[in-house]
Amino acid sequence: MTPGHEERFDLLCIGGGVGGLVAAYGAAQLGARVALVERGELGGDCLNYGCVPSKGLIHAARLAAGARRMSEFGIEVGEVRVDFPRVMRRMKEVQAHIGEHDDPARFAAMGIEVIFGEGRFEGPDLFEVGGRRIRARRFLLATGSSPLVPEVAGLPEVPFLTNETVFDLEAQPRRMAVLGGGPIGLELAQAFHHLGTEVEVLEMMPKLLPRLDPEMAGVLRGALEESGLRLHFEVKVSKVEKRGDEIVIEAETPGGTRPFFCDALLVAVGRKANVEGLGLADAGVEYTPRGVRTDDRLRTSNPGIYAVGDVRGAYQFTHVAEYEAGIALRNMLFSEPLGIPVPFLKKKASYHAVPWAIYTSPEAAHVGMTEAEAREALGEIHVLRFPMDRVDRAILEGEASGFCKVVCDSRGRVLGADLVCPAAGEILPEFALAVRKRLHVKEVVETIHVYPTLAEVNKRAAGRYYAQKLFTPAFRKKMQRLFGLGGSLEVTDPKGPKGPGDDEKKF
């Protein structure tokens, strides 16, 4: 390649996580010339450090916890022993199998130029990586996020773990402290606890998961503590140090200053958008430490550059990055046929029905508006609840903690839903569809649900809408008058015909 030579593409995706991969795949399949730049491994955080390895570990942990409960079902299995290295090896094997979908050769075969290396913008439409200078009609920022490490005295000198390193453990810690009680911290804390590690969670906030409906968060907290997980709130860590083989954490707590002791420290206090080192200022892209700013069509302040996924600092979920990639692709390359802007071909991203789940035991899942948000926005709403201890499948399987909560507007349209129960993430999509399509709750009520399943809780909760309206003394009397219900019926006396003066038999 001669010095100063510039390559040209229709689309350059920067970041090989789900957002970049989906956009690159879609564009290439539709005839665009596409390049994709990745500084590490394809698959992004989800495949390499997040969803995939964590759920593999969590599944093994749930099996261990379930095995300890076998005697409840009349099955004796003896002492449950966890072979931690085998657990981790199996998780890595499954991760590698899933990662086959993100093999660079697969994307190269589609005509996508896959480039590995660190790169940066040299101008509004010029990107340099590994000595290659690339211009493109459109660029997509999909660089994701990284673990946020708090500024705590002594922490840099301590061998702490994050979600990017915890899955490389080969020996099981006897004691673990987790800084942060968010989704990542709670999921991994409970997983290690179920595998046999003593775990304490140190959370700075006064309550569990502020983004979750408070009522549901209370139920989840109770279940986590009942499982043996030790949760500490309003903890402010002031110093961390290594003393011999153990790590000592000095912290201010509601009960005063106290130390916490552990053999492994997991830092899970949040995520930060990967915006540094990209030359975004040179490209005319506005951003803050929280992420890149975009409009509702996912376009940055540079009209030729779009952004999706965690780098935006908004909804940091794999499924949202995938959704946004589809929106951005349409707007980047296919809203201006023959170079002429066509407004109706442009699409806005919508976030009123974003579902998410926390994979603890039990799981917590949410979509749409919480009860508090709906009351603040609309005033008059309907709140429908149904407990899992009245769902036959949950009772049969000994997993009857938690409940379903549905929020509807005054006309009965579904605004949001929360679940705390086993498989909550699997049960939620029915309500995600209802919120997205603004369906009336009767659509859920009138849908036939398989019996016995955990998803029956959706129908039962939705049915409370009619129970609140119809199953009242006043409505019952109205039905009796209107349809002649509740009257008397004559019953033949088995002792023979009635005589004069006999009272009529009524029931």
Side-chain angles (χ1 to χ4, degrees):
M1 187 180 300
T2 58
H5 173 75
E6 295 180 355
E7 302 173 74
R8 294 185 177 273
F9 291 87
D10 295 309
L11 174 64
L12 175 63
C13 296
I14 305 165
V18 65
L21 292 175
V22 167
Y25 170 82
Q29 294 298 101
L30 293 170
R33 185 170 185 233
V34 183
L36 184 146
V37 174
E38 170 55 46
R39 65 180 181 180
E41 297 179 280
L42 294 188
D45 189 78
C46 179
L47 172 65
N48 298 298
Y49 317 113
C51 314
V52 171
S54 69
K55 302 315 169 279
L57 187 70
I58 287 168
H59 181 66
R62 284 179 177 170
L63 290 175
R68 297 187 187 100
R69 295 183 54 202
M70 285 297 181
S71 60
E72 296 177 23
F73 301 88
I75 302 171
E76 299 298 334
V77 297
E79 180 186 359
V80 176
R81 295 185 300 108
V82 173
D83 186 335
F84 187 79
R86 285 182 62 188
V87 168
M88 300 302 278
R89 281 200 303 272
R90 193 264 177 188
M91 177 269 292
K92 292 282 189 180
E93 290 168 0
V94 174
Q95 181 185 30
H97 176 64
I98 294 174
E100 292 174 3
H101 298 293
D102 297 334
D103 188 330
R106 177 171 176 261
F107 288 89
M110 299 176 192
I112 298 169
E113 180 86 13
V114 180
I115 305 167
F116 289 99
E118 296 269 1
R120 60 173 286 119
F121 282 98
E122 299 293 339
D125 66 344
L126 179 62
F127 193 82
E128 191 274 334
V129 55
R132 299 175 64 173
R133 296 165 59 81
I134 299 173
R135 291 192 188 273
R137 288 176 55 197
R138 296 289 184 268
F139 296 84
L140 180 69
L141 291 171
T143 51
S145 63
S146 302
L148 178 65
V149 179
E151 294 184 3
V152 175
L155 185 60
E157 286 75 50
V158 171
F160 64 88
L161 302 165
T162 69
N163 74 293
E164 292 187 351
T165 57
V166 70
F167 301 112
D168 293 327
L169 283 175
E170 296 179 354
Q172 182 173 4
R174 185 173 65 86
R175 301 170 301 170
M176 175 181 282
V178 179
L179 297 190
I184 294 174
L186 290 177
E187 288 178 4
L188 292 177
Q190 192 181 46
F192 274 90
H193 168 67
H194 282 162
L195 291 171
T197 298
E198 298 176 16
V199 183
E200 294 190 274
V201 178
L202 314 182
E203 169 55 49
M204 183 175 64
M205 301 297 288
K207 58 184 179 180
L208 188 75
L209 300 170
R211 290 181 61 187
L212 188 63
D213 177 275
E215 187 177 10
M216 310 303 282
V219 173
L220 180 60
R221 175 177 176 175
L224 293 175
E225 291 178 330
E226 186 178 350
S227 76
L229 199 59
R230 286 178 284 179
L231 305 176
H232 305 273
F233 296 92
E234 297 182 81
V235 176
K236 184 177 180 181
V237 176
S238 57
K239 183 181 179 182
V240 179
E241 63 178 329
K242 193 88 159 57
R243 296 180 190 170
D245 293 332
E246 70 178 1
I247 298 171
V248 182
I249 304 164
E250 298 288 345
E252 297 289 337
T253 73
T257 302
R258 61 158 290 189
F260 293 89
F261 303 92
C262 62
D263 305 308
L265 173 61
L266 173 64
V267 176
V269 297
R271 311 281 299 171
K272 62 177 182 179
N274 292 331
V275 294
E276 301 300 327
L278 292 170
L280 296 182
D282 293 332
V285 174
E286 295 180 5
Y287 67 97
T288 71
R290 292 182 59 86
V292 173
R293 293 174 174 165
T294 69
D295 61 16
D296 54 11
R297 292 185 172 88
L298 304 175
R299 183 176 55 182
T300 71
S301 52
N302 179 333
I305 302 175
Y306 289 67
V308 300
D310 288 13
V311 74
R312 295 182 59 248
Y315 295 93
Q316 295 183 330
F317 305 117
T318 298
H319 47 281
V320 171
E322 181 178 4
Y323 163 75
E324 290 178 340
I327 301 292
L329 177 61
R330 174 172 171 171
N331 291 331
M332 286 188 296
L333 299 182
F334 307 113
S335 63
E336 299 182 7
L338 303 178
I340 303 172
V342 180
F344 71 81
L345 289 179
K346 296 181 179 180
K347 189 172 179 62
K348 297 180 180 180
S350 174
Y351 300 100
H352 79 283
V354 173
W356 50 266
I358 301 169
Y359 298 94
T360 49
S361 294
E363 293 181 4
H366 168 81
V367 67
M369 303 175 79
T370 64
E371 178 183 353
E373 291 168 343
R375 288 194 188 281
E376 181 179 355
L378 302 176
E380 183 183 351
I381 61 172
H382 296 279
V383 181
L384 318 172
R385 298 176 178 83
F386 199 84
M388 293 303 294
D389 61 13
R390 290 175 59 191
V391 177
D392 291 354
R393 179 67 175 270
I395 297 169
L396 290 166
E397 297 184 353
E399 299 281 359
S401 63
F403 68 101
C404 176
K405 181 176 185 178
V406 185
V407 179
C408 302
D409 65 15
S410 60
R411 296 169 55 187
R413 293 177 298 186
V414 180
L415 301 174
D418 288 276
L419 288 149
V420 172
C421 63
E426 308 292 337
I427 300 170
L428 184 71
E430 184 171 18
F431 283 121
L433 176 63
V435 172
R436 177 177 173 268
K437 303 299 289 186
R438 295 180 171 83
L439 299 180
H440 193 280
V441 72
K442 74 180 180 68
E443 302 298 342
V444 179
V445 175
E446 294 177 358
T447 297
I448 299 173
H449 290 67
V450 176
Y451 175 89
T453 59
L454 296 174
E456 274 193 296
V457 73
N458 290 352
K459 182 182 181 75
R460 304 304 175 201
R464 299 303 300 166
Y465 176 79
Y466 293 102
Q468 292 175 1
K469 284 180 169 292
L470 305 181
F471 300 158
T472 64
F475 194 81
R476 186 181 299 114
K477 288 181 180 179
K478 185 182 295 185
M479 292 297 99
Q480 289 173 334
R481 290 195 302 268
L482 186 60
F483 296 104
L485 303 176
S488 61
L489 294 175
E490 292 187 0
V491 177
T492 302
D493 190 336
K495 297 180 180 179
K498 292 186 295 180
D502 284 347
D503 291 331
E504 292 183 351
K505 303 294 188 290
K506 298 180 180 179
F507 66 95

